[in-house]
């Protein structure tokens, strides 16, 4: 087992694969776009799930399970909804050697599976709000190069689907969920995100509007969509006939016209793990946030030499077990690495690859002085060591883990902020992208302009690099990431609104643009 043999800065995609493999987060599978989540990454997803599940239940959401399969007729229920996605649908065509009469789709998302039952179950306004969620996996047969966690053909996620009597009530919930998504990133994964609304071009076409949390990957300077909470308006309730009687209807006439319910749908996937790894990892491997990592502290015996007597070694190991108990008593997830035949240095490297936030070295010196030698994984080696008195362990270690969590977030936030720049002159845009920035443009929010910006930024990248765009690789064209809720100060009059010299529209809002995943 050797370390990472490429640098994050010079060969990012190779670095990412090695960090995940050598950090024991996943293993590869013979079907392209599919990966095995090993316990280290499953633990992260389980922590995210427990945290989110508790909070959506407080909002009155219930979990349920709908079938994995969607009949062809049901999936194609509304051409409009599916047309742009047809190429991504995976189909079952045989049972054994018997060809099926009609092929069956594997769910890519569950609107068409669930909403016929919403129409059946929702009769009166007293059945509202209906709030159901599924923790499941879905399949999308992506064409672009797969990337572990970020773009996979099967992925685990949650998909929430709610129905409300009024637009206002739906709108309130859209934002409650978006806030929870932002909290997952910022509080659990130590990843800063920007909240905003998707433009008409980038929103979920079947919906009314899309809100999103947008992350930023410093190593590539690319934005990344972290999770989406859509208001579907009445689009799907009109498609599927989900109606209730108007509770305020007075006359028989009014009673007859049914109200179409207002719906939301919201999803967050195991993509969160990839974002966390890409942001915090370094050339020694994973760097894991204490809040979600399976093992927060590892205790490694040091100074155990061949000339040490067995009883001295046993005594030292016994002391280490005692230290573990002290930490377990304050809910620290701690292990000791007593493997024989491996040097301390080998063990240090192994746990650094796994991104274990804190290593405690304990040998005869520490034992005599009643302290441990602590090493923080998130700091450069030379700055990472400190001595902690054994009597302080039960308060100092939890505090130190909390400090590591906060420092990881603060460093990532500083990088995001310093690489988000306001552009007021078109000629500054592409150079800013090439400097690994995401850009705030005063944008007219028209789709035509977005297309223009995307294609001219892609073209100038090709001209500069001389390399044609690989259709399966992430695009070099910049796209709109979101219209941040937190808008910079007012729109400057007279400035080319959307960075598109040919645009003569009025600037409507500051819009975040960037190359993305
Ligand atoms: O993004 C979410 C959150 C969770 C529930 N779904 C919404 C919208 C999903 C948009 N979407 C996204 N991808 C799709 C891929 C397909 F193959 C397909 F048939 C349909 C879709 C599709 O509708
Ligand atoms: Mg897609």
């Amino acid at each position: 087992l050797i370390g990472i043999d490429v640098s994050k800065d010079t060969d990012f995609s190779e670095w990412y694969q090695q960090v995940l493999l050598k950090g024991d987060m996943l293993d590869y599978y013979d079907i392209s776009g599919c990966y095995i989540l090993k316990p280290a990454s499953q633990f992260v997803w389980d922590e995210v799930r427990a945290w989110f599940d508790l909070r959506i239940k407080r909002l009155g959401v219930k979990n349920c399970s709908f079938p994995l399969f969607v009949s062809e007729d049901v999936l194609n229920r509304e051409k409009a909804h599916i047309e742009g996605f047809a190429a991504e649908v995976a189909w079952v065509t045989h049972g054994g050697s018997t060809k099926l009469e009609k092929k069956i789709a594997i769910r890519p998302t569950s609107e068409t599976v669930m909403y016929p039952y919403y129409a059946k179950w929702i009769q009166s306004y007293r059945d509202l709000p209906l709030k159901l969620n599924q923790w499941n996996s879905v399949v999308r047969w992506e064409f672009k190069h797969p990337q572990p966690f970020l773009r996979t053909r099967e992925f685990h996620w949650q998909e929430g689907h709610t129905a409300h009597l009024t637009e206002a009530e739906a709108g309130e919930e859209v934002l409650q969920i978006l806030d929870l998504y932002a909290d997952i990133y910022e509080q659990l994964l130590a990843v800063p995100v920007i909240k905003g609304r998707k433009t008409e071009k980038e929103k979920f076409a079947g919906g009314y509007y899309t809100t999103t949390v947008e992350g930023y990957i410093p190593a590539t300077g690319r934005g990344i969509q972290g999770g989406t909470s859509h208001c579907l308006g009445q689009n799907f309730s009109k498609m599927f006939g989900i109606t209730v009687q108007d509770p305020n209807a007075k006359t028989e006439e009014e009673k007859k016209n049914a109200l179409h319910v207002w719906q939301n749908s919201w999803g967050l996937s195991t993509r969160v793990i990839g974002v966390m790894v890409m942001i915090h990892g370094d050339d020694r491997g994973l760097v894991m946030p204490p809040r979600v990592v399976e093992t927060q502290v590892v205790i490694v015996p040091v100074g155990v030499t061949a000339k040490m007597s067995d009883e001295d070694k046993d005594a030292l190991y016994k002391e280490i077990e005692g230290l573990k108990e002290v930490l377990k008593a304050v809910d620290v997830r701690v292990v000791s690495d007593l493997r024989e035949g491996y040097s301390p240095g080998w063990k240090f490297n192994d746990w650094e690859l796994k991104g274990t936030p804190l290593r405690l070295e304990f040998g005869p010196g520490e034992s005599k002085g009643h302290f441990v030698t602590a090493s923080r994984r998130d700091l450069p080696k030379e700055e990472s060591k400190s001595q902690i008195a054994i009597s302080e362990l039960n308060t100092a270690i939890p505090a130190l883990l909390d400090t590591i969590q906060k420092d990881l977030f603060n460093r990532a936030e500083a990088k995001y902020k310093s690489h988000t720049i306001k552009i007021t002159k078109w000629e500054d845009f592409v150079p800013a992208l090439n400097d690994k920035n995401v850009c705030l443009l005063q944008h007219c929010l028209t789709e035509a302009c977005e297309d223009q910006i995307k294609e001219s930024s892609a073209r100038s990248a090709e001209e500069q690099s001389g390399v044609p765009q690989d259709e399966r690789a992430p695009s070099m064209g910049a796209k709109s990431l979101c219209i941040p809720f937190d808008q910079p100060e007012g729109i400057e009059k007279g400035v080319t609104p959307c960075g598109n010299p040919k645009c003569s529209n009025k600037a409507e809002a500051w819009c975040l643009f960037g190359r993305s995943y």
Side-chain angles (χ1 to χ4, degrees), residues 340-460:
E340 296 295 343
Y342 295 98
S343 70
W346 187 92
K347 293 179 183 180
F348 294 174
N349 173 60
D350 189 32
W351 292 99
E352 283 169 9
L353 281 171
K354 292 186 175 79
T356 306
L358 212 46
R359 175 184 77 231
L360 305 183
E361 297 167 33
F362 192 74
E366 284 78 9
S367 169
K368 217 188 297 340
H370 306 294
F371 64 91
V372 299
T373 303
S375 268
R376 286 176 54 163
R377 176 66 183 84
D378 66 312
L379 294 179
K381 271 195 167 131
E382 55 283 356
E383 300 162 32
S384 65
K385 288 202 177 223
S386 66
Q387 292 187 353
I388 300 174
I390 288 176
S391 58
E392 307 287 314
L393 272 193
N394 62 344
T395 53
I397 297 299
L400 191 46
L401 291 169
D402 194 44
T403 300
I404 292 170
Q405 182 79 22
K406 288 187 172 63
D407 286 356
L408 285 172
F409 177 80
N410 292 337
R411 274 182 229 118
E413 188 184 46
K415 278 222 185 102
Y416 200 164
K417 285 196 163 128
S418 63
H419 286 84
T420 302
I421 60 176
K422 278 164 55 178
I423 295 288
T424 52
K425 290 203 300 296
W426 175 248
E427 59 270 16
D428 298 340
F429 182 50
V430 174
L433 295 175
N434 294 342
D435 270 350
K436 297 190 179 180
N437 295 296
V438 288
C439 302
L440 281 164
L441 296 178
Q442 296 190 71
H443 193 234
C444 64
L445 301 185
T446 65
E447 183 148 356
C449 273
E450 277 200 56
D451 292 339
Q452 185 101 46
I453 289 171
K454 186 171 201 174
E455 155 243 327
S456 57
S457 51
R459 191 176 345 103
S460 56

Side-chain angles (χ1 to χ4, degrees), residues 132-375:
L132 298 181
N133 176 63
Q134 293 190 77
W135 292 94
N136 64 22
S137 69
V138 292
V139 174
R140 295 175 186 176
W141 217 254
E142 300 275 359
F143 165 72
K144 292 193 169 183
H145 291 307
Q147 291 198 49
F149 295 116
L150 300 193
R151 183 182 296 280
T152 58
R153 283 181 162 165
E154 178 191 10
F155 59 86
H156 300 267
W157 72 344
Q158 53 68 218
E159 47 175 318
H161 297 267
T162 62
H164 308 261
L165 187 61
T166 65
E167 175 176 1
E169 187 188 284
E172 183 190 12
E173 192 216 51
V174 165
L175 297 178
Q176 286 172 325
I177 297 298
L178 194 74
D179 287 346
L180 290 178
Y181 286 168
D183 288 348
I184 287 171
Y185 275 100
E186 303 207 337
Q187 293 175 23
L188 273 70
L189 306 170
V191 168
V193 291
I194 289 181
K195 291 185 217 173
R197 188 166 57 82
K198 286 286 186 186
T199 62
E200 284 308 294
K201 175 183 168 62
E202 290 302 328
K203 76 173 191 181
F204 168 31
Y208 176 29
Y209 60 83
T210 291
T211 66
T212 179
V213 285
E214 294 292 322
Y216 166 72
I217 309 294
T220 57
R222 286 180 180 266
I224 185 159
Q225 182 177 294
T228 47
S229 181
H230 313 280
C231 180
L232 307 178
Q234 297 169 304
N235 299 355
F236 281 86
S237 59
K238 285 174 180 163
M239 240 193 258
F240 289 89
I242 311 172
T243 59
V244 294
Q245 258 199 3
D246 182 345
N248 306 321
K250 297 277 179 295
T251 66
E252 279 319 302
E253 186 49 36
E254 281 170 344
K255 279 202 172 82
K256 268 213 282 300
N257 65 13
L259 295 178
H260 286 95
V261 302
W262 290 81
Q263 290 177 272
N264 296 332
S265 81
W266 25 273
L268 183 88
S269 78
T270 41
R271 162 176 281 204
V272 303
I273 300 171
V275 173
M276 172 193 71
V277 167
M278 286 186 154
I279 287 176
H280 300 309
D282 65 16
D283 286 348
R284 288 188 280 150
L286 294 167
V287 178
M288 296 292 278
R291 176 60 189 75
V292 292
V293 68
E294 188 178 21
T295 300
Q296 296 169 317
V297 176
V298 59
I299 307 176
V300 179
V302 294
V304 178
T305 57
K307 64 178 188 309
M308 183 183 251
S309 71
D310 281 355
E311 57 266 10
D312 286 353
K313 191 166 83 168
D314 290 350
L316 188 77
Y317 284 8
K318 235 171 118 55
E319 272 196 271
I320 286 175
E321 291 310 300
L323 299 178
K324 266 168 62 179
E325 291 317 308
V326 165
L327 292 177
K328 281 181 179 166
V330 287
D331 298 324
V332 171
R333 297 189 289 274
V334 54
V335 299
S336 54
D337 183 350
L338 308 180
R339 286 176 289 179
E340 296 295 343
Y342 295 98
S343 70
W346 187 92
K347 293 179 183 180
F348 294 174
N349 173 60
D350 189 32
W351 292 99
E352 283 169 9
L353 281 171
K354 292 186 175 79
T356 306
L358 212 46
R359 175 184 77 231
L360 305 183
E361 297 167 33
F362 192 74
E366 284 78 9
S367 169
K368 217 188 297 340
H370 306 294
F371 64 91
V372 299
T373 303
S375 268

Side-chain angles (χ1 to χ4, degrees), residues 48-116:
V48 167
R49 175 169 176 166
W51 187 94
F52 188 68
D53 208 53
L54 172 68
R55 285 160 182 79
I56 56 174
K57 284 189 173 124
R58 285 178 187 153
L59 293 176
V61 178
K62 296 182 178 180
N63 286 327
C64 62
S65 292
F66 279 75
L68 169 72
F69 302 110
V70 202
S71 67
E72 188 170 8
D73 300 341
V74 165
L75 186 80
N76 292 326
R77 172 76 189 266
E78 260 323 290
K79 280 280 170 243
H81 167 60
I82 291 296
E83 68 193 2
F85 296 116
E88 294 182 18
V89 178
W91 297 97
V92 175
T93 56
H94 286 74
S97 58
T98 312
K99 190 166 173 22
L100 300 183
E101 282 284 300
K102 303 210 69 166
K103 59 185 196 273
I104 295 170
I106 298 177
R107 69 183 166 222
T109 182
S110 296
E111 281 80 0
T112 57
V113 175
M114 298 170 80
Y115 296 171

